[in-house]
Amino acid sequence: MDNQDKQIFKAENLEEYKKWISEQNWYQTIHLKQGLITPGKLNTHSRIQWFDEFNFSNKTVLDIGCNSGQYSMYAKKAGASSVTGLDVNENRIYQAKMLALNEEINVDFHLAGIDQATSFGKFDIVICIAVVTEVENVLMALRSIRDATNKTAILEMDLARPLIYASSNKDWWKKDPNVSRRGRVAEMHRHKHAGWVMRPSLEMVLEIFGDDFKLSFLGKGLRYHRIVLNRR
């Protein structure tokens, strides 16, 4: 059945809900009501402890790359006034809508990419987990997150971490008041789905967000590095 033909429906009973969950291919491990858990490929539930540190109460939230809606639904349950989830994968959006309906959680899910994030407006909190690292235009992605963020951006992304580097390019040797020479080094990586992607330095991330934001580097997350940017 094509994704566009899949119907969003409320399961009539627990057994029907279980059957639907068992028929799906899951990436996220989502703890649902009545003790149900989606059998995800990664223990994404482990990030919930980190999200518990943020105050979602009465906040507007945007979840970019929401997958099956795990963190979108968490934010709503944590008291967010409204939550919007975006993903480019049609099947993940179908799963997210199905879960939201059957878990009775009001989240607005859309089939859209990070390049369309700003068309949905500005949000108090923007969540973007393991997405920036897997898109071809990383700088555009960071600017989209910045422009959609009113207060806080919560990111998990990979970074360039050069130890020693020197270039024969004369422009690299010119001083930049905002970014060090090593901070101007990015690393290219061949991603199995996205092709060539860039890992920026932490200094590049901060420079793109600008002086209006304070950056906190929180070290290794489940897959990549955790970064929080708060608007001053």
Side-chain angles (χ1 to χ4, degrees):
M1 181 184 293
D2 292 337
N3 288 324
Q4 59 265 29
D5 296 327
K6 291 183 178 180
Q7 297 298 313
I8 311 299
F9 65 92
K10 183 74 176 286
E12 293 184 2
N13 52 56
L14 182 60
E15 291 307 311
E16 185 178 31
Y17 194 25
K18 284 182 177 179
K19 181 176 183 295
W20 175 80
I21 290 171
S22 70
E23 292 171 347
Q24 301 298 307
N25 177 29
W26 299 95
Y27 178 80
Q28 292 182 325
T29 302
I30 309 173
H31 290 227
L32 306 169
K33 64 184 180 182
Q34 301 185 78
L36 299 179
I37 302 174
T38 62
K41 296 178 181 178
L42 199 66
N43 182 23
T44 53
H45 183 75
S46 64
R47 292 192 180 107
I48 296 300
Q49 186 176 359
W50 178 32
F51 292 147
D52 282 340
E53 299 174 11
F54 300 92
N55 178 16
F56 288 94
S57 181
N58 298 314
K59 303 294 195 303
T60 58
V61 178
L62 175 66
D63 184 6
I64 302 173
C66 64
N67 203 273
S68 301
Q70 180 174 24
Y71 308 133
S72 300
M73 292 187 291
Y74 166 84
K76 186 61 179 177
K77 289 192 292 183
S81 59
S82 67
V83 181
T84 301
L86 311 179
D87 204 280
V88 297
N89 186 310
E90 191 172 358
N91 190 56
R92 297 303 184 204
I93 290 296
Y94 162 70
Q95 292 175 339
K97 289 181 176 180
M98 276 290 294
L99 290 179
L101 176 63
N102 283 276
E103 296 294 307
E104 299 179 321
I105 301 171
N106 184 20
V107 176
D108 194 16
F109 289 110
H110 297 272
L111 184 67
I114 195 168
D115 57 323
Q116 299 166 281
T118 55
S119 67
F120 291 87
K122 294 179 76 74
F123 297 80
D124 296 324
I125 298 175
V126 175
I127 301 169
C128 189
I129 303 298
V131 173
V132 174
T133 298
E134 300 176 3
V135 297
E136 199 169 57
N137 193 338
V138 174
L139 303 184
M140 173 278 298
L142 289 170
R143 292 186 183 106
S144 291
I145 296 168
R146 176 199 65 195
D147 294 344
T149 302
N150 265 332
K151 296 180 180 178
T152 302
I154 304 170
L155 313 181
E156 186 177 307
M157 58 179 288
D158 216 349
L159 296 166
R161 305 300 292 269
L163 296 175
I164 300 172
Y165 182 84
S167 174
S168 60
N169 189 327
K170 65 179 181 179
D171 291 328
W172 184 77
W173 291 96
K174 293 179 181 177
K175 288 186 177 181
D176 186 315
N178 297 317
V179 184
S180 69
R181 289 192 180 96
R182 194 168 68 173
R184 282 179 265 160
V185 177
E187 299 172 1
M188 300 301 295
H189 167 68
R190 191 190 296 275
H191 189 272
K192 63 180 179 180
H193 300 305
W196 285 102
V197 296
M198 184 182 79
R199 294 168 176 168
S201 71
L202 196 61
E203 289 182 61
M204 288 180 192
V205 175
L206 182 56
E207 199 276 335
I208 287 171
F209 273 78
D211 294 336
D212 289 342
F213 285 86
K214 178 183 177 182
L215 184 149
S216 298
F217 176 68
L218 304 178
K220 192 74 168 66
L222 180 61
R223 292 184 63 197
Y224 304 118
H225 299 288
R226 297 179 300 161
I227 300 169
V228 177
L229 294 120
N230 285 298
R231 192 177 287 275
R232 298 180 189 276

